[in-house]
Amino acid sequence: QVQLVESGGGLVQPGGSLRLSCAASGSVSGFNAMGWYRQAPGKQRQRVALITKGGIANYVDSVKGRITISRDNAKNTLYLQMDSLKAEDTAVYYCNALNNRANYWGQGTQVTVSS
């Protein structure tokens, strides 16, 4: 049974940084891909970053250069390092994992960028 639990969200000032974590019940290296999505009020859920089983990362244009997706196989944890945060980054951030059977989601963690 796959379970994903996000943490690390909170309130940060513009230009600040946050590091989100996603603890997985299974081995993070065993998924076909893992990613971070975000959803702001009244907007559709958007994929922010993706990392493949082979370690190849992909980012949406609006966050390139400011956000880094990574994983720690020993800790079975996926990370999203966010720097130079902007007000438009405010959203609920969700962890996602894909294997051969299903697509799994975490419960989400709130990120608010405001003065």
Side-chain angles (χ1 to χ4, degrees), residues 4 22 24 28 31-36 49-51 69 78 95-97:
L4 306 173
C22 173
V28 295
F31 295 106
N32 298 119
M34 298 188 74
W36 287 95
L50 177 75
I51 185 166
I69 187 171
L78 180 75
C95 179
N96 173 259

Side-chain angles (χ1 to χ4, degrees), residues 64-84:
K64 287 182 178 178
R66 302 188 297 115
I67 293 181
T68 302
I69 187 171
S70 63
R71 65 186 181 215
D72 187 326
N73 294 340
K75 296 181 178 180
N76 288 327
T77 302
L78 180 75
Y79 300 100
L80 189 70
Q81 177 66 46
M82 303 190 293
D83 303 309
S84 301

Side-chain angles (χ1 to χ4, degrees), residues 8 14 18-19 40:
L18 282 175
R19 189 193 193 195

Side-chain angles (χ1 to χ4, degrees), residues 28 31-38 46-61 63-64 67-71 78-80 94-99 103-105:
V28 295
F31 295 106
N32 298 119
M34 298 188 74
W36 287 95
Y37 292 68
R38 67 186 181 188
Q46 174 191 47
R47 191 176 76 194
V48 177
L50 177 75
I51 185 166
T52 68
K53 187 175 183 177
I56 305 300
N58 183 266
Y59 305 93
V60 68
D61 288 343
V63 306
K64 287 182 178 178
I67 293 181
T68 302
I69 187 171
S70 63
R71 65 186 181 215
L78 180 75
Y79 300 100
L80 189 70
Y94 298 90
C95 179
N96 173 259
L98 175 69
N99 65 17
N103 199 13
Y104 305 93
W105 295 92

